[in-house]
Amino acid sequence: MIEWVHPGLIFIIGALLIPFVRGEWKKAYLLLLPIAALIDLSMMSEGVFWRIPLLEYELVFGRVDTLSLIFGYIFAIAAFCMTLYALHVKEDGQHIAAFLYVGSTLGVVFAGDLFTLYLFWEVMAFSSLFLIWYRKTEASSEAGLRYIMVHIFGGVCLLAGIVLYVQETGSIAFPYPGAGFLWGLGSSYLASYFILTGFLVNAAALPLHAWLADAYPEATVTGTVFLSAFTTKSAIYVLLRGFPGVDILIWLGALTAIYGVVFAVMENDARRLLAYVLISQGGYMMAGVGMASKLAIDGAIAHASCCVLYMGLLFMGAGAVLEVTGRSKLTELGGLYRRMPATFWLYMVGALSVSGMPFFSGFVSKTLIVESAAGLPSPWVWLLLEGASLGAFLVAGLKLPYFTWFGRKEPAGDVYRPLPRNMPAAMGITASLCVLIGVYPQALYGMLPYPVEYHPYAVEHLISMWELLLFSFLGFILVTRMGLLRPVAKITLDTDWFYRIAGRRFIWFCERPLLDFADFIDKMVKGIASFLVWFSRNPTAASRIMLLTMGVVLTKPFNPVYMHYEADLAELRRLYPGEPVHRVAIGMGVLLVVMFFVLYLLIYLTYGVLWT
Amino acid sequence: MMLEEIPAFSAMFGFIGCLLIVALSKILGRWLQRREDYYRWLRSGSGGGEQG
């Protein structure tokens, strides 16, 4: 007897009932759903539940183990904070989209087979799309379309991989942790390559990351907060299950981590800057999955959990500024500290967490991954990850807050909308969770699958981290004095250029040269057909007309008799189709038949001799 | 780790790394940064088949 329900089901069924709850009750109802899911999660025990036979396979909706439980918890906690942040939103549709999104993510987390995984994977993509479209601007509708196209591509890759995998193994089971998909070089691993590509699209790995920086900043204020938590982290979760110890993930992760912060330095839009930081943070976790030592796996899980909270908090802060001022470009912001000091301090908790400042959450999780990278033979991964760490501090901890809340004397903007009170409340709760994990890491470490023997608060770790951050702060002051970090009102091209421009060129090629060619062929065929129709009405007269026309054209320059031909031709054309002349037609018919036979004979005799 | 044994490695790394990241982004920016309405401008331009 199972006394609990699937936590994803609470969100999905709950989402459908939202329109029927009225008034102030709705707010209570919205907050109650994540709490119910949390209570439900706490009652769950490990095992495999909710098996549904389908044809000769078995769908498993509830594979409950340490790994899926910790992701379930963190997603439910994040859903609570983010629902609180979005509580003032009046449109039911936004809440429904968000809850379907959360519910399907939990469906992915507890999926025990690949079909169930794929089902929830697609629901996740389509429900999150509405969080972007509800912004209702032209930019958001276009970005949303590109977003779903990329995710459909990822989904198709995943499906192709699943189909190949099922064909090869005859099983739809999603591998257990430690097992993973078979990995190696060669065509026999094609299924794994497709599945990995599908996962990496959602994890926003280089060069498949551009959808994130393209679409997330165009979503609604509250939608971006939801988006930041679920898609990328659930991708890390499936990578942890499916591809632990795959070497290329180490390098891919390290490069993604540094790429994200370098692009964030160039970015002017505050929320797009944070989107690049989010991409960079995903890089750490991918590297952790690739290294696959006990410490690295623990690190990837812990970092995913912390990242959900502090990235959410950062997007909440930038969203609050957008809500109040209607602006998100750093060139149009500045001097807001007098207006929104509380938002600044709450944002800084998230910023210090992402920077890995001791006593904030990023420090206790990121160091697990960085420490395992230090054990690798090549020092480059470690250097890249450390570089990404100070880069995150530089952009999210210094550049963004400096140019948003300081940077100019007069506060930017003229019209200020009031900040809904639930927003700072949600930020407060998220911030206290970040500090709680930072101060008391055992709360997080205790849930991890392997016992953590690492002590983040050893004195040498503290000193080296503070040195690192202090001196990058000095570097920041230096480059700001030199004017190098001043935001510029420009956009930065990323790999989405390829489908935004090259894709347009491809469509242009289809529309112009390709269609012109098709038209040409079309006209030719039609011309031949209508000629045959015309010819067959009266073949004898038609051949005389053709003959006479040729005679007129050929003799015109030399011979005055063409006048005679021309009169004949005009007469014939006038009478056409006229009475067919049977006498000639029979001879003509025989001639055609004979010609056909001769042609056939030639082909028959020469086949195998002159040509094959 | 060899690198961590260098005295004040973190401090140097923090300072130099910060400058390197900014320098790298400046160099990439010269190549990759465009006007804000770049994509719209391209679309309204010669109507397809244009050079980026």
Side-chain angles (χ1 to χ4, degrees):
Chain A
M1 181 61 200
I2 305 173
E3 299 98 355
W4 59 87
V5 292
H6 193 304
L9 204 65
I10 295 178
F11 283 100
I12 292 172
I13 302 286
L16 302 178
L17 296 177
I18 289 174
F20 302 107
V21 188
R22 296 273 161 208
E24 288 299 303
W25 287 104
K26 181 170 291 185
K27 293 184 175 174
Y29 174 71
L30 288 173
L31 285 177
L32 207 65
L33 284 181
I35 294 174
L38 265 174
I39 294 171
D40 186 48
L41 275 163
S42 68
M43 293 196 305
M44 283 163 81
S45 56
E46 298 191 10
V48 179
F49 309 100
W50 307 301
R51 301 150 175 248
I52 297 171
L54 177 82
L55 305 177
E56 67 240 60
Y57 302 110
E58 186 183 50
L59 300 184
V60 178
F61 284 87
R63 187 243 313 261
V64 186
D65 55 17
T66 330
L67 188 58
S68 50
L69 269 179
I70 185 169
F71 273 87
Y73 273 118
I74 197 68
F75 284 150
I77 292 170
F80 175 79
C81 298
M82 291 167 182
T83 307
L84 180 58
Y85 186 77
L87 211 59
H88 64 284
V89 173
K90 291 277 179 288
E91 278 169 309
D92 285 344
Q94 293 199 38
H95 294 299
I96 294 174
F99 276 15
L100 283 179
Y101 179 41
V102 177
S104 53
T105 312
L106 287 169
V108 165
V109 167
F110 290 106
D113 70 282
L114 293 168
F115 285 176
T116 314
L117 173 78
Y118 177 74
L119 174 80
F120 286 117
W121 196 263
E122 291 293 338
V123 177
M124 211 164 82
F126 280 91
S127 52
S128 56
L129 170 64
F130 288 92
L131 297 175
I132 301 167
W133 274 351
Y134 262 110
R135 183 90 178 272
K136 294 176 186 166
T137 60
E138 206 184 331
S140 73
S141 77
E142 289 176 1
L145 191 65
R146 288 191 294 273
Y147 169 85
I148 198 65
M149 294 294 240
V150 174
H151 281 282
I152 288 173
F153 166 76
V156 167
C157 284
L158 179 62
L159 183 63
I162 291 173
V163 169
L164 283 171
Y165 179 81
V166 171
Q167 203 181 14
E168 279 165 18
T169 62
S171 142
I172 61 168
F174 189 17
Y176 279 74
F181 294 102
L182 289 175
W183 186 256
L185 283 176
S187 58
S188 51
Y189 300 104
L190 201 61
S192 301
Y193 298 161
F194 273 118
I195 294 176
L196 182 67
T197 310
F199 288 174
L200 286 182
V201 167
N202 271 25
L206 212 65
L208 306 168
H209 64 282
W211 59 268
L212 196 157
D214 179 24
Y216 280 15
E218 303 297 344
T220 62
V221 168
T222 57
T224 309
V225 175
F226 275 100
L227 288 166
S228 73
F230 297 99
T231 302
T232 48
K233 301 308 172 295
S234 62
I236 295 300
Y237 165 80
V238 290
L239 282 173
L240 272 166
R241 265 199 201 289
F243 298 96
V246 171
D247 284 344
I248 57 163
L249 287 177
I250 302 176
W251 283 99
L252 207 60
L255 288 174
T256 306
I258 200 79
Y259 184 97
V261 293
V262 169
F263 271 66
V265 173
M266 287 189 267
E267 192 49 59
N268 182 30
D269 186 298
R271 299 203 302 162
R272 189 157 281 132
L273 183 152
L274 291 177
Y276 276 114
V277 175
L278 176 61
I279 292 173
S280 162
Q281 295 302 305
Y284 280 94
M285 296 161 222
M286 275 183 265
V289 175
M291 287 184 271
S293 61
K294 285 183 179 176
L295 188 63
I297 293 285
D298 273 353
I301 300 167
H303 201 46
S305 317
C306 296
C307 187
V308 165
L309 294 175
Y310 65 67
M311 278 319 297
L313 181 55
L314 293 175
F315 276 109
M316 285 178 189
V321 170
L322 176 60
E323 180 75 24
V324 169
T325 63
R327 300 168 179 213
S328 68
K329 285 176 189 159
L330 295 182
T331 41
E332 296 170 2
L333 287 168
L336 285 176
Y337 183 72
R338 267 189 282 167
R339 289 254 167 204
M340 321 176 64
T343 313
F344 166 74
W345 288 110
L346 291 169
Y347 171 90
M348 281 315 284
V349 173
L352 294 177
S353 297
V354 71
S355 320
M357 176 71 83
F359 304 112
F360 293 91
S361 68
F363 177 69
V364 300
S365 61
K366 191 189 287 182
T367 37
L368 298 182
I369 301 174
V370 176
E371 194 64 20
S372 352
L376 292 175
S378 153
W380 279 104
V381 174
W382 180 75
L383 282 174
L384 285 174
L385 291 181
E386 281 283 54
S389 176
L390 74 89
F393 177 55
L394 181 67
V395 288
L398 297 170
K399 180 186 170 176
L400 193 153
Y402 178 74
F403 289 106
T404 304
W405 282 280
F406 306 99
R408 65 166 93 174
K409 291 205 172 65
E410 288 305 305
D414 28 31
V415 186
Y416 297 98
R417 281 188 291 172
L419 187 67
R421 267 179 304 169
N422 55 303
M423 282 184 158
M427 291 177 71
I429 293 179
T430 319
S432 35
L433 286 172
C434 287
V435 176
L436 176 77
I437 295 175
V439 176
Y440 182 62
Q442 296 312 323
L444 180 65
Y445 288 175
M447 292 168 75
L448 297 174
Y450 304 111
V452 179
E453 284 149 12
Y454 179 74
H455 299 287
Y457 288 117
V459 178
E460 67 264 27
H461 293 143
L462 291 178
I463 291 175
S464 93
M465 201 65 207
W466 272 323
E467 265 180 31
L468 186 82
L469 294 178
L470 182 69
F471 278 82
S472 44
F473 183 49
L474 290 180
F476 169 77
I477 294 174
L478 183 70
V479 290
T480 315
R481 288 279 152 165
M482 289 160 74
L484 289 176
L485 262 188
R486 180 156 295 283
V488 282
K490 285 188 171 179
I491 62 157
T492 310
L493 302 187
D494 204 338
T495 50
D496 57 341
W497 183 87
F498 289 100
Y499 49 84
R500 295 177 74 165
I501 295 302
R504 278 171 54 75
R505 287 192 186 151
F506 177 71
I507 290 170
W508 175 86
F509 172 77
C510 290
E511 278 176 347
R512 300 289 174 74
L514 211 61
L515 267 187
D516 282 355
F517 180 68
D519 273 353
F520 170 72
I521 298 279
D522 206 38
K523 277 193 190 120
M524 284 253 298
V525 171
K526 271 190 196 152
I528 291 172
S530 54
F531 168 75
L532 286 175
V533 168
W534 173 81
F535 184 82
S536 59
R537 274 194 228 135
N538 187 345
T540 42
S543 5
R544 272 208 70 198
I545 289 177
M546 282 159 65
L547 218 63
L548 278 174
T549 314
M550 215 140 67
V552 170
V553 172
L554 288 177
T555 56
K556 198 169 182 176
F558 316 109
N559 195 340
V561 282
Y562 83 90
M563 300 282 286
H564 169 67
Y565 285 150
E566 214 166 37
D568 264 9
L569 189 60
E571 180 67 10
L572 266 173
R573 283 215 169 122
R574 195 172 62 75
L575 290 175
Y576 193 82
E579 195 64 23
V581 188
H582 297 289
R583 186 164 38 92
V584 188
I586 291 166
M588 194 72 176
V590 170
L591 183 70
L592 284 172
V593 169
V594 169
M595 273 167 61
F596 177 77
F597 273 116
V598 168
L599 192 69
Y600 183 77
L601 192 70
L602 277 175
I603 291 170
Y604 177 75
L605 289 178
T606 56
Y607 180 79
V609 182
L610 294 179
W611 52 281
T612 55
Chain B
M1 258 324 277
M2 292 291 286
L3 288 171
E4 282 169 324
E5 285 159 18
I6 303 169
F9 174 77
S10 294
M12 286 194 292
F13 187 80
F15 189 71
I16 297 169
C18 178
L19 299 186
L20 274 181
I21 287 175
V22 173
L24 188 62
S25 74
K26 280 286 147 189
I27 294 165
L28 279 174
R30 293 181 76 90
W31 179 43
L32 291 174
Q33 285 193 320
R34 295 286 192 278
R35 48 192 287 181
E36 274 184 321
D37 57 348
Y38 170 76
Y39 286 109
R40 198 167 296 272
W41 168 72
L42 275 190
R43 210 177 315 171
S44 63
S46 44
E50 68 286 327
Q51 296 302 306

